[in-house]
Amino acid sequence: MADIRSNFLGIQSPNPFWLASAPPTDKEINVTRAFEAGWGGVVWKTLGEDPPVVNVSGPRYATLMSQDRRVIGLNNIELITDRPLRTNLEEIWRVKRAWPDRAMIVSLMVPCTEASWKAILPLVEDTGADGIELNFGCPHGMSERGMGSAVGQVPEYIQMVTAWCKQYTKLPVIVKLTPNITDVRQPARAARAGGADAVSLINTINSVMGVDLDRMLMNPSTDGWGSHGGYCGPAVKPIAQNMVAEIARDPATAGLPISGIGGISNWRDAAEFIALGCGTVQVCTAAMVYGFKIVQDMCSGLSNFMDEKGYRNLDAMMGLAVPSVKNWNQLNLNHVEKAVINQDSCIQCGRCHVVCEDTSHQAITAMDKDGRRHFEVMEDECVGCNLCVSICPVPDTITMRALKPGEIDARTGEPVRGGYANWTTHPNNPMRAPA
């Protein structure tokens, strides 16, 4: 069987599934239940200085749901732990001793002063924790106090605080990055420059979940007022994977260990993050929606997939998809594809025709054939955009066919060229390089 044990920065865990720093990791009772269910590790909910912060005593969450009432996204205005620092430290100490084979990472957020970080780090070390995660991502509440994303959006601050932590602790230092930034490579480079052992991403995204149109109040609201919060859940997964891939393929950060976060709801999501270079994955929303036992399906699914593909351990598949991620100007413009409809499995719903006719390239005909609705691709109009494949409700009914070199592209009337050519040498590019 595949070995799904994780060795991340020398931190051992029985599987790569960690609970992210959030309400599910705020107390000894929660974390113990998580470990009993099978989670490989946790990132304890962010600790700060005493006196503890004050959270709102009202709605902290709002959800975006699909038509069948599945949670697509979750917004929260929760802050860091509102329990005393000593209470948290004592519980971390007890849990780590009861579960020595599980990863125990402690998330930290204190004011951006050297003295504050110097003071809290030895307290965390004394718990026996395996590592620390610097919360430079929280987009609300704490950022207004000069912490969280207020630090994470300034590379110079990231490098400075990371260097302090590397000076005052022997524990591995993981820097948690905010997605609320134009180019995530810059903070990742700063983290590496400061000596970070790894980065984790993404933290939550700035969001307003909606408006109650009957009361004309944003949702959620506390006593008639609301605040932007942090967005997470399945809907953020594409954003998270893009940022992970950017760091994994950036020459300045290539090889920097990554703990992937963002919309991971099942084993397949986890496998995708691992393929993009992540050594562990952190989960929050899925646990808050389905409970801790979801990790059991994640572990068995990942193990079965790895067995099927012949990956003996996580290292064998980690980062395999990274070379496939390129800038647009590196894509092969000599490659041509056309959509193909499998008439045997087509249910004649007509969605492909409607979307292509109204919003794309008018490349799918609609006709009656033998008393039935019939849809076919017109190759002389098809640009290979993949929209019909994306919206077809029947898997593998519409597929894409790559034209072979020398085959005539019916849309252009030109033979398909072999070999590779991209925008940098294309004749339509006024700044093209010599071919």
Side-chain angles (χ1 to χ4, degrees), residues 341 343 363-367 369 374-378:
I341 300 175
Q343 301 298 335
I364 299 180
T365 63
M367 64 186 77
K369 186 174 183 180
H374 184 80
F375 304 93
E376 287 187 6
V377 175
M378 296 183 291

Side-chain angles (χ1 to χ4, degrees), residues 1 4-5 30 48 67 80 131 139 161 253 266 276-277 331 337 349 377 422:
M1 291 190 57
I4 64 170
R5 290 177 298 176
N30 298 71
Q67 292 180 341
I80 68 174
V161 177
T253 53
N266 52 54
L276 287 172
L331 299 182
E337 296 189 20
C349 67
V377 175
N422 62 42

Side-chain angles (χ1 to χ4, degrees), residues 147-393:
M147 293 179 272
S149 62
V151 177
Q153 291 169 339
V154 184
E156 292 81 3
Y157 291 171
I158 293 174
Q159 180 175 343
M160 177 178 67
V161 177
T162 302
W164 290 340
C165 292
K166 290 298 296 180
Q167 179 180 354
Y168 296 120
T169 184
K170 296 178 181 178
L171 294 176
V173 175
I174 305 169
V175 175
K176 190 172 187 179
L177 302 178
T178 176
N180 302 302
I181 195 164
T182 304
D183 186 351
V184 75
R185 295 174 300 176
Q186 303 306 319
R189 291 169 182 172
R192 169 167 267 188
D197 297 287
V199 293
S200 59
L201 68 156
I202 58 172
N203 209 310
T204 53
I205 302 171
N206 280 326
S207 63
V208 171
M209 288 299 282
V211 173
D212 182 336
L213 293 176
D214 293 321
R215 298 188 298 161
M216 286 299 170
L217 298 175
M218 71 163 285
N219 181 38
S221 62
T222 299
D223 194 27
W225 290 355
S227 171
H228 78 275
Y231 189 55
C232 55
V236 311
K237 174 186 158 188
I239 299 169
Q241 290 194 337
N242 171 63
M243 293 188 171
V244 164
E246 288 296 282
I247 293 172
R249 70 190 187 96
D250 179 17
T253 53
L256 181 65
I258 302 172
S259 184
I261 314 169
I264 298 167
S265 303
N266 52 54
W267 71 263
R268 185 177 293 275
D269 295 335
E272 291 179 13
F273 274 83
I274 294 168
L276 287 172
C278 295
T280 65
V281 292
Q282 297 185 33
V283 179
C284 175
T285 305
M288 296 182 74
V289 173
Y290 299 109
F292 285 151
K293 289 186 179 180
I294 189 176
V295 72
Q296 296 165 13
D297 288 338
M298 290 179 169
C299 287
S300 61
L302 180 62
S303 178
N304 290 339
F305 165 76
M306 291 171 63
D307 281 341
E308 178 185 340
K309 298 297 184 181
Y311 300 126
R312 291 179 296 175
N313 52 42
L314 295 176
D315 288 341
M317 62 180 289
M318 187 169 26
L320 290 183
V322 174
S324 71
V325 183
K326 301 292 184 183
N327 294 337
W328 191 96
N329 65 4
Q330 295 175 292
L331 299 182
N332 185 7
L333 299 182
N334 282 344
H335 183 80
V336 180
E337 296 189 20
K338 303 289 183 181
V340 179
I341 300 175
N342 182 343
Q343 301 298 335
D344 293 333
S345 58
C346 176
I347 61 173
Q348 294 88 41
C349 67
R351 289 183 62 187
C352 60
H353 165 72
V354 170
V355 298
C356 188
E357 190 71 18
D358 286 353
T359 68
S360 195
H361 294 277
Q362 299 78 51
I364 299 180
T365 63
M367 64 186 77
D368 289 328
K369 186 174 183 180
D370 300 327
R372 300 179 63 191
R373 284 151 53 96
H374 184 80
F375 304 93
E376 287 187 6
V377 175
M378 296 183 291
E379 291 201 354
D380 58 337
E381 299 291 346
C382 179
V383 302
C385 72
N386 203 51
L387 176 62
C388 54
V389 177
S390 302
I391 60 88
C392 179

Side-chain angles (χ1 to χ4, degrees), residues 108-153:
L108 295 175
M109 182 192 296
V110 295
C112 197
T113 63
E114 185 172 359
S116 294
W117 288 98
K118 183 178 180 180
I120 199 170
L121 289 168
L123 302 179
V124 175
E125 275 197 26
D126 288 344
T127 66
D130 298 302
I132 60 170
E133 183 180 79
L134 311 186
N135 186 344
F136 293 157
C138 186
H140 56 273
M142 305 308 294
S143 55
E144 290 91 324
R145 309 178 196 191
M147 293 179 272
S149 62
V151 177
Q153 291 169 339

